[in-house]
Amino acid sequence: FRSAFLVDDDPALKGAVVYDYPVIGGKAELLNGGVGRGIVAIGSNKARRSVSVWLAGSGFELIRAIHPAARLARGVSVGVGTVIMAGAAVNSDAKIGTGVIINTLAGVDHDCVVGDYSHIAPGVTLCGTVQVGKESFICAGVTVIPNLTIGCNVTVGAGSTVISNVSDNLTVAGTPARIL
């Protein structure tokens, strides 16, 4: 295989070219090509985790992808399989887990922790020392005030303002954010 390509299980896409990258086929074609390395670009947190774990177990090396227009301060740690998009800012001593998406123009302030396979959507602001649990989805334009904990598998609706801790497995929305 060439060094950069796309994989999609949709048979109609095999052989197509997307943004100058060939679609080689699905997971079977990927593994038939031998051990490779890359990222899993799936929006669903659970699906991204599932495919990432399967690939890693098959000898595939997950890497980090950090856009050149993203800004990372000193002391930031970024897990494998994580993508940090253009315009994102991750400040001092933040810890970003495995398989995370920090999307366009998101701000992750100092000492925040973002759990594995979470998605911080475009325009989100996580103020200092916010903790986001595994597989949570913080939708576009959300603001989370400092020192809060967002549990695991939480969805925070677009444009919300989170001013209190959010327990695991909840969906919240609004300003201030309330349980739906």
Side-chain angles (χ1 to χ4, degrees), residues 33-159:
V35 176
R37 52 185 283 186
I39 59 168
V40 177
I42 298 173
S44 163
N45 295 335
K46 289 181 184 351
R48 189 169 60 260
R49 177 185 42 80
S50 178
V51 171
S52 295
V53 167
W54 178 80
L55 284 169
S58 300
F60 191 84
E61 179 188 1
L62 294 169
I63 62 171
R64 296 162 192 83
I66 301 171
H67 192 282
R71 297 175 312 278
L72 277 66
R74 290 183 178 182
V76 171
S77 66
V78 179
V80 296
T82 289
V83 177
I84 301 178
M85 304 301 273
V90 183
N91 286 317
S92 297
D93 300 318
K95 294 178 181 15
I96 310 300
T98 297
V100 171
I101 298 171
I102 305 292
N103 223 315
T104 309
L105 296 174
V108 179
D109 211 357
H110 67 89
D111 300 297
C112 286
V113 176
V114 179
D116 296 346
Y117 303 104
S118 288
H119 183 167
I120 308 302
V124 167
T125 300
L126 300 180
C127 293
T129 65
V130 168
Q131 298 206 18
V132 176
K134 294 179 180 180
E135 295 185 27
S136 288
F137 182 26
I138 313 301
C139 295
V142 167
T143 298
V144 181
I145 68 168
N147 306 314
L148 295 184
T149 298
I150 307 292
C152 297
N153 194 37
V154 167
T155 299
V156 179

Side-chain angles (χ1 to χ4, degrees), residues 141-180:
V142 167
T143 298
V144 181
I145 68 168
N147 306 314
L148 295 184
T149 298
I150 307 292
C152 297
N153 194 37
V154 167
T155 299
V156 179
S160 297
T161 304
V162 181
I163 63 170
S164 59
N165 293 331
V166 180
S167 298
D168 295 347
N169 304 308
L170 292 177
T171 298
V172 299
T175 299
R178 299 189 192 285
I179 298 171
L180 296 181

Side-chain angles (χ1 to χ4, degrees), residues 16-44:
V17 176
V18 178
Y19 296 116
D20 297 325
Y21 297 107
V23 178
I24 63 166
K27 292 182 281 191
E29 288 84 1
L30 175 64
L31 293 181
N32 287 338
V35 176
R37 52 185 283 186
I39 59 168
V40 177
I42 298 173
S44 163

